[in-house]
Amino acid sequence: MAPAFVSVPVSESLVMAESAADFYADDPVFAYLLGKKNGPMQRRLVLRNCIVTSDATQSIYSDDSRKAFVHVVEPGSWDGNLHQFILRGTMKIPFVIDSDAIARLSDYRDACVKAMPREGLSHISAVYFSDGCDDLASRVLESVSEGIGACYSVVHTDREASVFERAGFVQHSAFDFRGIGCRVMFRAD
């Protein structure tokens, strides 16, 4: 049986960017990281730019429809990866960065690393999808997870948690980050 997902080439970054920008524009963590002056429209621009200008530091998978995407970061590299991903995307849009943005990003990264289930796990840094494609996202995530083994992710919304649960993840722990409820979702080998 053929795999339910394929590796997405960097040349398709614009397709990924549009989907990610729509999905994460209202995410409470991105709202916190980018600061109060940046509403959904500005966050959408930043997220789109982050994807388009980032280099290939993550493995990105989808199904043939390109309506659901899963980003995988190798064990031990996520903390630096997140930092660089956000910085690359925002440095080209100077008006979104304020003097506290880097400190907020570092705080979030540290909180997530501290909540990690154990060392040596792959990290699912993002799962995003088109409207109405929640089930498709779960299927792609499940297939990708089966291929990489034990992995985890930090999610911020009930919708995200539901997608992970349908893909065989369980909630490992939860933590409060600046008033935002975060859940660590874990999938064993």
Side-chain angles (χ1 to χ4, degrees):
M1 183 175 180
F5 65 91
V6 294
S7 180
V8 180
V10 174
S11 61
E12 294 186 34
S13 63
L14 192 56
V15 175
M16 293 183 277
E18 292 299 332
S19 180
D22 287 339
F23 187 83
Y24 285 113
D26 293 323
D27 184 279
V29 167
F30 275 104
Y32 171 79
L33 293 177
L34 294 178
K36 292 180 180 177
K37 71 175 183 171
N38 293 300
M41 291 291 288
Q42 288 87 356
R43 291 197 295 274
R44 191 182 187 288
L45 175 62
V46 171
L47 286 159
R48 182 181 181 278
N49 200 56
C50 283
I51 299 272
V52 170
T53 61
S54 65
D55 59 17
T57 57
Q58 303 182 42
S59 299
I60 303 172
Y61 302 99
S62 182
D63 75 321
D64 288 334
S65 75
R66 299 300 195 264
K67 291 186 176 181
F69 297 91
V70 175
H71 291 226
V72 178
V73 180
E74 296 301 316
S77 62
W78 176 76
D79 55 341
N81 184 285
L82 173 71
H83 203 218
Q84 291 304 312
F85 176 74
I86 298 290
L87 286 180
R88 267 194 303 275
T90 55
M91 282 192 300
K92 295 181 186 282
I93 316 175
F95 68 84
V96 304
I97 287 293
D98 64 42
S99 59
D100 297 324
I102 302 305
R104 290 193 302 268
L105 179 59
S106 294
D107 288 347
Y108 175 69
R109 181 187 61 208
D110 293 346
C112 292
V113 169
K114 184 177 178 182
M116 183 173 59
R118 66 173 193 255
E119 294 290 328
L121 295 177
S122 291
H123 177 76
I124 307 295
S125 65
V127 175
Y128 53 89
F129 43 92
S130 302
D131 284 344
C133 293
D134 300 51
D135 288 335
L136 172 63
S138 290
R139 289 195 303 272
V140 174
L141 176 59
E142 182 177 19
S143 295
V144 170
S145 300
E146 287 172 355
I148 63 174
C151 53
Y152 79 105
S153 188
V154 179
V155 301
H156 317 127
T157 66
D158 292 341
R159 185 181 186 197
E160 286 179 292
S162 175
V163 166
F164 277 85
E165 287 167 357
R166 284 196 303 271
F169 285 71
V170 297
Q171 183 174 313
H172 173 269
S173 60
F175 63 96
D176 182 85
F177 178 73
R178 306 293 189 261
I180 302 165
C182 297
R183 286 166 267 190
V184 179
M185 305 301 291
F186 173 70
R187 190 176 195 277
D189 290 325

